[in-house]
Amino acid sequence: MSSSGTEEPSAGHCASAPESAPPGPWAALCHAARRFLLTVDADLKVLELSILEARADSVPQGPLVSALFTGNSLSQLLPSAAALALREAVQASLRKALPTRCDTLPRQARDAWVCAISPIFGASVSGKRVHCLFEAVGSNPLLQLLSASQANAQRLEEAMSYAQMGWFERDLETSIGIGSASLAKIYG
């Protein structure tokens, strides 16, 4: 709980989606694409936009929409509540060096939207950056089910972290082991 008495979103998962966003660049992008990737910095400044899956019923407007976003801050392009939640998720992802997810995005083009956030690392990367993969889930039952499943997995991971528990698997043939993020926190 925050000092104002409201519940804070977890670092790995944002709260539920608000009402529709007003018309503007965000609406134009959501009407043009079902999946898109934004590369943003820690301040949510859009460095690059790639439309991964255009809507079949939309007029091609990729360069126009890209020009509206590139160089601008998502804080100016999204409703304030969604921008704040996305900023917190991006900062948590960068701070923990782990992917996270945000569902606090306005409904647009008849769809709810989710965002998977992954930090970018490497010698060629200057400054802190993340990839934000936005996907429309409202009209795709399979994505809705997958979204709910991922949310449940995220909640389980968070609960295990709070309880200082984790999981570990080892492939006996290859001797390769993988473990949960909460296990990594326990053992460093």
Side-chain angles (χ1 to χ4, degrees):
M1 298 285 261
S2 71
S3 59
S4 65
T6 59
E7 188 174 326
E8 295 177 352
S10 69
H13 188 76
C14 295
S16 62
E19 67 284 346
S20 293
W26 176 255
L29 181 56
C30 292
H31 284 282
R34 292 195 50 73
R35 292 179 67 222
F36 56 92
L37 181 73
L38 294 176
T39 303
V40 300
D41 65 13
D43 296 321
L44 296 187
K45 180 180 176 186
V46 178
L47 306 172
E48 185 179 349
L49 164 68
S50 300
I51 294 179
L52 304 176
E53 182 182 339
R55 290 187 185 268
D57 59 345
S58 73
V59 177
Q61 45 183 316
L64 174 65
V65 172
S66 184
L68 290 172
F69 274 78
T70 306
N72 290 315
S73 172
L74 282 179
S75 298
Q76 299 166 338
L77 302 169
L78 285 169
S80 59
L84 179 63
L86 190 59
R87 177 184 301 278
E88 289 173 0
V90 165
Q91 290 173 348
S93 181
L94 288 169
R95 185 175 54 255
K96 294 182 176 187
L98 292 171
T100 189
R101 180 189 137 107
C102 187
D103 293 335
T104 309
L105 299 170
R107 292 186 68 82
Q108 201 60 252
R110 304 171 312 276
D111 293 319
W113 290 81
V114 295
C115 176
I117 302 166
S118 300
I120 304 171
F121 301 104
S124 63
V125 177
S126 60
K128 294 182 175 185
R129 297 179 180 187
V130 296
H131 278 149
C132 298
L133 174 63
F134 292 86
E135 293 186 87
V137 297
S139 60
N140 186 333
L142 185 58
L143 273 179
Q144 287 177 337
L145 184 60
L146 180 60
S147 178
S149 174
Q150 289 172 339
N152 287 339
Q154 181 64 39
R155 283 193 295 272
L156 174 62
E157 180 65 34
E158 188 174 333
M160 288 175 53
S161 177
Y162 286 134
Q164 296 186 345
M165 296 172 55
W167 58 265
F168 181 81
E169 291 181 21
R170 180 175 177 202
D171 184 338
L172 297 176
E173 292 178 8
T174 62
S175 292
I176 295 175
I178 59 169
S180 64
S182 56
L183 187 69
K185 288 179 188 176
I186 294 168
Y187 289 103

mmCIF file of all heavy atoms in Angstrom, residues 135-165:
data_model
loop_
_atom_site.group_PDB
_atom_site.id
_atom_site.type_symbol
_atom_site.label_atom_id
_atom_site.label_comp_id
_atom_site.label_asym_id
_atom_site.label_seq_id
_atom_site.Cartn_x
_atom_site.Cartn_y
_atom_site.Cartn_z
ATOM 1 N N GLU A 135 0.322 -5.896 -27.440
ATOM 2 C CA GLU A 135 -0.538 -6.819 -28.173
ATOM 3 C C GLU A 135 -1.997 -6.594 -27.799
ATOM 4 O O GLU A 135 -2.322 -6.428 -26.623
ATOM 5 C CB GLU A 135 -0.177 -8.262 -27.847
ATOM 6 C CG GLU A 135 1.188 -8.672 -28.352
ATOM 7 C CD GLU A 135 1.440 -10.140 -28.125
ATOM 8 O OE1 GLU A 135 1.039 -10.931 -29.007
ATOM 9 O OE2 GLU A 135 2.027 -10.483 -27.107
ATOM 10 N N ALA A 136 -2.854 -6.608 -28.803
ATOM 11 C CA ALA A 136 -4.296 -6.527 -28.576
ATOM 12 C C ALA A 136 -4.781 -7.912 -28.187
ATOM 13 O O ALA A 136 -4.476 -8.887 -28.854
ATOM 14 C CB ALA A 136 -5.003 -6.056 -29.839
ATOM 15 N N VAL A 137 -5.524 -8.013 -27.096
ATOM 16 C CA VAL A 137 -6.001 -9.324 -26.648
ATOM 17 C C VAL A 137 -7.518 -9.434 -26.640
ATOM 18 O O VAL A 137 -8.049 -10.506 -26.446
ATOM 19 C CB VAL A 137 -5.472 -9.681 -25.237
ATOM 20 C CG1 VAL A 137 -3.977 -9.799 -25.246
ATOM 21 C CG2 VAL A 137 -5.931 -8.690 -24.206
ATOM 22 N N GLY A 138 -8.232 -8.333 -26.854
ATOM 23 C CA GLY A 138 -9.681 -8.322 -26.718
ATOM 24 C C GLY A 138 -10.430 -9.232 -27.661
ATOM 25 O O GLY A 138 -11.428 -9.835 -27.282
ATOM 26 N N SER A 139 -9.976 -9.367 -28.894
ATOM 27 C CA SER A 139 -10.749 -10.138 -29.852
ATOM 28 C C SER A 139 -10.151 -11.518 -30.129
ATOM 29 O O SER A 139 -10.633 -12.227 -30.976
ATOM 30 C CB SER A 139 -10.842 -9.354 -31.167
ATOM 31 O OG SER A 139 -9.552 -9.122 -31.680
ATOM 32 N N ASN A 140 -9.127 -11.892 -29.401
ATOM 33 C CA ASN A 140 -8.474 -13.174 -29.618
ATOM 34 C C ASN A 140 -8.598 -14.023 -28.347
ATOM 35 O O ASN A 140 -7.865 -13.806 -27.386
ATOM 36 C CB ASN A 140 -7.001 -12.961 -29.978
ATOM 37 C CG ASN A 140 -6.312 -14.250 -30.366
ATOM 38 O OD1 ASN A 140 -6.691 -15.334 -29.936
ATOM 39 N ND2 ASN A 140 -5.282 -14.115 -31.171
ATOM 40 N N PRO A 141 -9.520 -15.000 -28.321
ATOM 41 C CA PRO A 141 -9.726 -15.804 -27.112
ATOM 42 C C PRO A 141 -8.461 -16.534 -26.656
ATOM 43 O O PRO A 141 -8.231 -16.678 -25.471
ATOM 44 C CB PRO A 141 -10.812 -16.798 -27.507
ATOM 45 C CG PRO A 141 -11.419 -16.276 -28.755
ATOM 46 C CD PRO A 141 -10.423 -15.374 -29.392
ATOM 47 N N LEU A 142 -7.645 -16.991 -27.603
ATOM 48 C CA LEU A 142 -6.418 -17.684 -27.233
ATOM 49 C C LEU A 142 -5.461 -16.743 -26.498
ATOM 50 O O LEU A 142 -4.865 -17.114 -25.481
ATOM 51 C CB LEU A 142 -5.739 -18.274 -28.477
ATOM 52 C CG LEU A 142 -4.501 -19.123 -28.225
ATOM 53 C CD1 LEU A 142 -4.839 -20.296 -27.295
ATOM 54 C CD2 LEU A 142 -3.942 -19.645 -29.523
ATOM 55 N N LEU A 143 -5.317 -15.496 -26.993
ATOM 56 C CA LEU A 143 -4.468 -14.531 -26.308
ATOM 57 C C LEU A 143 -5.039 -14.153 -24.954
ATOM 58 O O LEU A 143 -4.294 -13.927 -24.005
ATOM 59 C CB LEU A 143 -4.282 -13.270 -27.154
ATOM 60 C CG LEU A 143 -3.151 -13.294 -28.166
ATOM 61 C CD1 LEU A 143 -3.093 -11.989 -28.938
ATOM 62 C CD2 LEU A 143 -1.825 -13.568 -27.518
ATOM 63 N N GLN A 144 -6.373 -14.085 -24.828
ATOM 64 C CA GLN A 144 -6.977 -13.793 -23.531
ATOM 65 C C GLN A 144 -6.647 -14.901 -22.535
ATOM 66 O O GLN A 144 -6.305 -14.631 -21.390
ATOM 67 C CB GLN A 144 -8.493 -13.648 -23.660
ATOM 68 C CG GLN A 144 -8.911 -12.368 -24.327
ATOM 69 C CD GLN A 144 -10.418 -12.283 -24.498
ATOM 70 O OE1 GLN A 144 -11.110 -13.286 -24.517
ATOM 71 N NE2 GLN A 144 -10.905 -11.070 -24.624
ATOM 72 N N LEU A 145 -6.737 -16.151 -22.968
ATOM 73 C CA LEU A 145 -6.418 -17.277 -22.103
ATOM 74 C C LEU A 145 -4.935 -17.262 -21.739
ATOM 75 O O LEU A 145 -4.569 -17.458 -20.576
ATOM 76 C CB LEU A 145 -6.791 -18.592 -22.797
ATOM 77 C CG LEU A 145 -6.613 -19.868 -21.995
ATOM 78 C CD1 LEU A 145 -7.476 -19.825 -20.732
ATOM 79 C CD2 LEU A 145 -6.997 -21.067 -22.836
ATOM 80 N N LEU A 146 -4.075 -17.019 -22.724
ATOM 81 C CA LEU A 146 -2.642 -16.944 -22.475
ATOM 82 C C LEU A 146 -2.326 -15.793 -21.524
ATOM 83 O O LEU A 146 -1.522 -15.931 -20.612
ATOM 84 C CB LEU A 146 -1.877 -16.760 -23.793
ATOM 85 C CG LEU A 146 -0.367 -16.672 -23.703
ATOM 86 C CD1 LEU A 146 0.210 -17.943 -23.092
ATOM 87 C CD2 LEU A 146 0.234 -16.434 -25.075
ATOM 88 N N SER A 147 -2.996 -14.662 -21.724
ATOM 89 C CA SER A 147 -2.803 -13.502 -20.863
ATOM 90 C C SER A 147 -3.167 -13.839 -19.419
ATOM 91 O O SER A 147 -2.439 -13.508 -18.487
ATOM 92 C CB SER A 147 -3.642 -12.333 -21.371
ATOM 93 O OG SER A 147 -3.509 -11.226 -20.528
ATOM 94 N N ALA A 148 -4.293 -14.513 -19.216
ATOM 95 C CA ALA A 148 -4.715 -14.900 -17.866
ATOM 96 C C ALA A 148 -3.728 -15.893 -17.258
ATOM 97 O O ALA A 148 -3.382 -15.805 -16.080
ATOM 98 C CB ALA A 148 -6.115 -15.498 -17.906
ATOM 99 N N SER A 149 -3.237 -16.828 -18.069
ATOM 100 C CA SER A 149 -2.272 -17.812 -17.594
ATOM 101 C C SER A 149 -0.965 -17.140 -17.187
ATOM 102 O O SER A 149 -0.378 -17.467 -16.148
ATOM 103 C CB SER A 149 -2.014 -18.849 -18.685
ATOM 104 O OG SER A 149 -0.996 -19.729 -18.308
ATOM 105 N N GLN A 150 -0.503 -16.189 -17.987
ATOM 106 C CA GLN A 150 0.725 -15.472 -17.652
ATOM 107 C C GLN A 150 0.537 -14.640 -16.389
ATOM 108 O O GLN A 150 1.449 -14.541 -15.567
ATOM 109 C CB GLN A 150 1.154 -14.582 -18.814
ATOM 110 C CG GLN A 150 1.671 -15.358 -19.997
ATOM 111 C CD GLN A 150 1.913 -14.487 -21.217
ATOM 112 O OE1 GLN A 150 1.362 -13.408 -21.346
ATOM 113 N NE2 GLN A 150 2.743 -14.975 -22.119
ATOM 114 N N ALA A 151 -0.632 -14.057 -16.211
ATOM 115 C CA ALA A 151 -0.909 -13.278 -15.005
ATOM 116 C C ALA A 151 -0.873 -14.181 -13.778
ATOM 117 O O ALA A 151 -0.317 -13.803 -12.739
ATOM 118 C CB ALA A 151 -2.256 -12.578 -15.124
ATOM 119 N N ASN A 152 -1.444 -15.394 -13.890
ATOM 120 C CA ASN A 152 -1.410 -16.340 -12.778
ATOM 121 C C ASN A 152 0.022 -16.760 -12.461
ATOM 122 O O ASN A 152 0.404 -16.849 -11.291
ATOM 123 C CB ASN A 152 -2.264 -17.568 -13.086
ATOM 124 C CG ASN A 152 -3.739 -17.273 -13.035
ATOM 125 O OD1 ASN A 152 -4.161 -16.305 -12.409
ATOM 126 N ND2 ASN A 152 -4.523 -18.095 -13.708
ATOM 127 N N ALA A 153 0.808 -17.027 -13.490
ATOM 128 C CA ALA A 153 2.213 -17.402 -13.283
ATOM 129 C C ALA A 153 2.984 -16.271 -12.623
ATOM 130 O O ALA A 153 3.818 -16.505 -11.739
ATOM 131 C CB ALA A 153 2.860 -17.792 -14.614
ATOM 132 N N GLN A 154 2.706 -15.041 -13.026
ATOM 133 C CA GLN A 154 3.371 -13.885 -12.433
ATOM 134 C C GLN A 154 2.995 -13.744 -10.953
ATOM 135 O O GLN A 154 3.843 -13.475 -10.115
ATOM 136 C CB GLN A 154 3.009 -12.606 -13.197
ATOM 137 C CG GLN A 154 3.687 -11.367 -12.664
ATOM 138 C CD GLN A 154 5.188 -11.417 -12.820
ATOM 139 O OE1 GLN A 154 5.686 -11.897 -13.824
ATOM 140 N NE2 GLN A 154 5.907 -10.956 -11.821
ATOM 141 N N ARG A 155 1.715 -13.943 -10.638
ATOM 142 C CA ARG A 155 1.279 -13.856 -9.244
ATOM 143 C C ARG A 155 1.931 -14.956 -8.401
ATOM 144 O O ARG A 155 2.321 -14.730 -7.257
ATOM 145 C CB ARG A 155 -0.244 -13.932 -9.158
ATOM 146 C CG ARG A 155 -0.914 -12.632 -9.547
ATOM 147 C CD ARG A 155 -2.384 -12.612 -9.152
ATOM 148 N NE ARG A 155 -3.190 -13.594 -9.855
ATOM 149 C CZ ARG A 155 -3.782 -13.395 -11.026
ATOM 150 N NH1 ARG A 155 -3.646 -12.234 -11.635
ATOM 151 N NH2 ARG A 155 -4.496 -14.331 -11.585
ATOM 152 N N LEU A 156 2.052 -16.180 -8.956
ATOM 153 C CA LEU A 156 2.708 -17.267 -8.247
ATOM 154 C C LEU A 156 4.174 -16.920 -7.993
ATOM 155 O O LEU A 156 4.681 -17.108 -6.886
ATOM 156 C CB LEU A 156 2.600 -18.581 -9.034
ATOM 157 C CG LEU A 156 3.373 -19.759 -8.440
ATOM 158 C CD1 LEU A 156 2.849 -20.110 -7.050
ATOM 159 C CD2 LEU A 156 3.280 -20.963 -9.371
ATOM 160 N N GLU A 157 4.847 -16.402 -9.005
ATOM 161 C CA GLU A 157 6.257 -16.024 -8.854
ATOM 162 C C GLU A 157 6.410 -14.952 -7.780
ATOM 163 O O GLU A 157 7.312 -15.012 -6.948
ATOM 164 C CB GLU A 157 6.820 -15.530 -10.191
ATOM 165 C CG GLU A 157 8.280 -15.112 -10.134
ATOM 166 C CD GLU A 157 9.236 -16.253 -9.831
ATOM 167 O OE1 GLU A 157 8.980 -17.391 -10.256
ATOM 168 O OE2 GLU A 157 10.246 -15.997 -9.151
ATOM 169 N N GLU A 158 5.507 -13.989 -7.774
ATOM 170 C CA GLU A 158 5.560 -12.916 -6.779
ATOM 171 C C GLU A 158 5.311 -13.471 -5.374
ATOM 172 O O GLU A 158 5.999 -13.108 -4.419
ATOM 173 C CB GLU A 158 4.519 -11.854 -7.117
ATOM 174 C CG GLU A 158 4.628 -10.614 -6.264
ATOM 175 C CD GLU A 158 3.682 -9.529 -6.735
ATOM 176 O OE1 GLU A 158 3.333 -9.495 -7.930
ATOM 177 O OE2 GLU A 158 3.285 -8.726 -5.887
ATOM 178 N N ALA A 159 4.345 -14.367 -5.235
ATOM 179 C CA ALA A 159 4.056 -14.970 -3.930
ATOM 180 C C ALA A 159 5.246 -15.783 -3.435
ATOM 181 O O ALA A 159 5.608 -15.724 -2.252
ATOM 182 C CB ALA A 159 2.801 -15.841 -4.020
ATOM 183 N N MET A 160 5.876 -16.543 -4.334
ATOM 184 C CA MET A 160 7.054 -17.322 -3.954
ATOM 185 C C MET A 160 8.186 -16.406 -3.516
ATOM 186 O O MET A 160 8.915 -16.710 -2.572
ATOM 187 C CB MET A 160 7.481 -18.238 -5.104
ATOM 188 C CG MET A 160 6.532 -19.395 -5.320
ATOM 189 S SD MET A 160 6.912 -20.429 -6.758
ATOM 190 C CE MET A 160 8.589 -20.866 -6.516
ATOM 191 N N SER A 161 8.338 -15.277 -4.181
ATOM 192 C CA SER A 161 9.379 -14.322 -3.822
ATOM 193 C C SER A 161 9.150 -13.776 -2.421
ATOM 194 O O SER A 161 10.067 -13.686 -1.614
ATOM 195 C CB SER A 161 9.415 -13.188 -4.847
ATOM 196 O OG SER A 161 10.375 -12.225 -4.476
ATOM 197 N N TYR A 162 7.896 -13.400 -2.123
ATOM 198 C CA TYR A 162 7.575 -12.879 -0.787
ATOM 199 C C TYR A 162 7.811 -13.938 0.292
ATOM 200 O O TYR A 162 8.217 -13.623 1.402
ATOM 201 C CB TYR A 162 6.133 -12.392 -0.720
ATOM 202 C CG TYR A 162 5.892 -11.099 -1.440
ATOM 203 C CD1 TYR A 162 4.805 -10.950 -2.277
ATOM 204 C CD2 TYR A 162 6.755 -10.009 -1.304
ATOM 205 C CE1 TYR A 162 4.572 -9.766 -2.954
ATOM 206 C CE2 TYR A 162 6.539 -8.827 -1.982
ATOM 207 C CZ TYR A 162 5.441 -8.708 -2.798
ATOM 208 O OH TYR A 162 5.225 -7.539 -3.463
ATOM 209 N N ALA A 163 7.529 -15.193 -0.022
ATOM 210 C CA ALA A 163 7.702 -16.282 0.932
ATOM 211 C C ALA A 163 9.134 -16.806 0.956
ATOM 212 O O ALA A 163 9.432 -17.751 1.685
ATOM 213 C CB ALA A 163 6.739 -17.419 0.599
ATOM 214 N N GLN A 164 10.000 -16.213 0.173
ATOM 215 C CA GLN A 164 11.396 -16.634 0.030
ATOM 216 C C GLN A 164 11.483 -18.109 -0.358
ATOM 217 O O GLN A 164 12.190 -18.895 0.238
ATOM 218 C CB GLN A 164 12.192 -16.336 1.295
ATOM 219 C CG GLN A 164 12.291 -14.853 1.573
ATOM 220 C CD GLN A 164 13.182 -14.531 2.738
ATOM 221 O OE1 GLN A 164 13.536 -15.389 3.529
ATOM 222 N NE2 GLN A 164 13.564 -13.266 2.837
ATOM 223 N N MET A 165 10.711 -18.445 -1.402
ATOM 224 C CA MET A 165 10.712 -19.787 -1.971
ATOM 225 C C MET A 165 11.051 -19.672 -3.452
ATOM 226 O O MET A 165 10.951 -18.604 -4.039
ATOM 227 C CB MET A 165 9.324 -20.429 -1.832
ATOM 228 C CG MET A 165 8.883 -20.650 -0.405
ATOM 229 S SD MET A 165 7.163 -21.180 -0.281
ATOM 230 C CE MET A 165 7.110 -22.600 -1.326
#
